[in-house]
Amino acid sequence: MTPVPIRYGARPCSLVVCRGCCCGDPRKNPGMDHAGQLARVRAAAAASGGRLLVRTSDCLGPCAQANVLVVQPSTEGRRRGGRAAWIGWSADDDCLDEVLAWTEAGGPGVSPPPATLALQMIDPPKN
């Protein structure tokens, strides 16, 4: 029997939103609309026509830089050398505007991040 190669569909850019012990917690970041932020990224994904996926995570790890987002490249972005971008201190609307604009432009590997967003990029936690 000849094995049949498995062909996977192209994966869009995805956004992982931390909602663990610190991120999304009004006790850590009072005055921020954490639920509104999540609703906004979900609305952007719904409006993207499948070009953006959104997931939540219980905890991504770097709690000192809450709120944390991870922008993962699409299949095309990864093919072009893009890697996941970890973004800290992302609770404000300006940061979210830039994240959503970057994902709309293609995200890692397809489009360079806005310069101010690059300043918020953090190292992923070491395992």
Side-chain angles (χ1 to χ4, degrees):
M1 182 171 175
T2 305
V4 176
I6 299 172
R7 299 190 190 270
Y8 298 97
R11 181 181 175 167
C13 185
S14 64
L15 184 59
V16 181
V17 181
C18 186
R19 284 296 177 258
C21 63
C22 296
C23 297
D25 185 341
R27 292 171 296 174
K28 178 147 185 166
N29 290 307
M32 301 309 250
D33 185 3
H34 301 286
Q37 180 191 48
L38 187 55
R40 187 170 167 210
V41 297
R42 286 182 172 156
S48 75
R51 292 183 318 275
L52 175 64
L53 295 177
V54 174
R55 314 182 277 143
T56 59
S57 171
D58 285 337
C59 185
L60 291 170
C63 298
Q65 290 112 353
N67 286 353
V68 176
L69 304 172
V70 179
V71 183
Q72 296 177 318
S74 63
T75 300
E76 178 62 18
R78 188 159 300 275
R79 187 185 67 72
R80 294 182 188 189
R83 296 294 174 255
W86 287 65
I87 301 165
W89 309 283
S90 67
D92 65 61
D93 287 334
D94 291 338
C95 178
L96 196 55
D97 289 343
E98 291 191 344
V99 168
L100 293 175
W102 186 31
T103 60
E104 189 174 323
V110 175
S111 175
T116 53
L117 188 61
L119 294 172
Q120 290 180 248
M121 290 186 181
I122 60 174
D123 292 328
K126 307 247 189 281
N127 290 339

